[in-house]
Amino acid sequence: MTVPGTRSGQLTQAGGVWADVVGQEAAVAQFRRAAAPEGSLAQAWLVTGPPGSGRSTAARAFAATLQCEQGLGCGQCRACRTTLSGTHPDVTVVATDKLSIAKEEVRALVMTAQRAPATGNRRVVIVEDADRMSAGTFNVLLKSIEEPPPSTVWMLCAPSAEDLAPTIRSRCRLVTLAVPSSAVVADLLRRRDGIDEQLAVRAARAAQGHIGLALRYATQDGALAAREESARTLLSLRGAGEAVLAAQGLVDRATAEAKEHADVVAAEEKERFLRSAGIDDGKVPPSLRSQVRQLEEDAKRRQTRLVRDVLDRYLLDAHSVLRDVLSRQLGAEAELVNIEVAREIEQTAGRGSGRITLGLLEAVQEARDRISGNVPPLLAIEALLARIAVSLR
Ligand SMILES: [Zn+2]
């Protein structure tokens, strides 16, 4: 299978530190103009784009451009390399997989932002999930963003500008990332991660523009097969009883997947904490017990969030299957996302009408909203699958 565009040099046109920022020509051009000697460098940036579009990769590339010893982000010098690998002393990256960024954490960041750069041209502070801040925490940040020291640059990343308080976003220069096409994502997996071409194309198509997810599909045993199996199940549902069982199956699978990931992170976190306290036999002394308990509670909250994230991904998958059905019903020529179940998609399309499928697409969106609005996931998914089962019969 050939992928249009992947052979030409245009995808990596910018090169250097921008090589892995794929499918974002407009945003890269905007950053490069700002970093040029005659450009105007804003001191607060807001990088928005859907999950997996490469917000933090873009922010790091821009930070490297600002630190580069050669000027424009050569990707080769020590400043570029250390910035991209996360070890540059003047570039601070805050990432969180917790529900929210703590106020104390932001206070510490603001202190860091006040300091002059130690070795580089600038001090750059990147906040990867800036949307995960409470109003009070935003206020702590606000002052520093209003009047940062002359060599400090803030880079906030969030899914959309609306996720930030208006007071913050009005002070930032906005950069909007697009959803990268499957072709550029496949090319990145092949080039950066050494994934075999056919697998890269398949994984990128399934991930629908989410770079991290595409990599997971390409590298995790059984991940693509499980996705395909879910699509098949969705299209074969025939009644409320099956829907209830399938919903329970999805929630169980999401819980297991989230728990596996959360357990690994929690164990690492605890080990790191104990090591920093000078304990290497794993025995927690009474004086540290409350802190360890706090860590464990954080981990539990994180797992709850993760289950919802995983379920949301399953629902996006279901959405893509129904969209494929709709595209066949409308006679569109577009390539299916779920080629592996093309036969089932054709059959389902032949049985129903576009109007019914459109209604189901809306129902998927509704279920996503309900789950993010804290409706118990099992309830929302049962209701959705029951409706699909009855409509596609
Ligand atoms: Zn450089």
Side-chain angles (χ1 to χ4, degrees), residues 179-203:
V179 177
S181 69
S182 296
V184 297
V185 174
D187 184 58
L188 179 70
L189 296 189
R190 209 171 43 74
R191 182 167 50 77
R192 183 192 65 185
D193 307 301
I195 308 286
D196 152 80
E197 169 145 2
Q198 223 181 342
L199 178 59
V201 167
R202 213 178 136 212

Side-chain angles (χ1 to χ4, degrees), residues 17 64 67-81:
V17 295
Q67 303 293 15
C68 178
E69 292 153 18
Q70 313 289 328
L72 270 178
C74 64
Q76 307 295 323
C77 73
R78 190 179 159 78
C80 278
R81 282 184 289 114

Side-chain angles (χ1 to χ4, degrees), residues 305-369:
R305 184 198 170 91
L306 259 175
V307 172
R308 284 167 193 267
D309 287 352
V310 173
L311 281 171
D312 194 58
R313 203 179 75 222
Y314 292 171
L315 289 178
L316 281 176
D317 287 343
H319 196 269
S320 79
V321 172
L322 291 168
R323 223 176 38 218
D324 280 347
V325 171
L326 181 65
S327 106
R328 283 303 171 262
Q329 286 168 332
L330 300 179
E333 291 294 313
E335 191 190 28
L336 297 178
V337 171
N338 302 280
I339 293 178
E340 294 76 14
V341 289
R343 199 168 48 89
E344 289 86 341
I345 285 171
E346 301 285 356
Q347 287 166 352
T348 308
R351 276 201 307 272
S353 76
R355 194 177 47 81
I356 290 173
T357 311
L358 260 179
L360 293 179
L361 282 166
E362 273 163 33
V364 173
Q365 195 53 50
E366 234 166 74
R368 295 182 65 205
D369 292 345

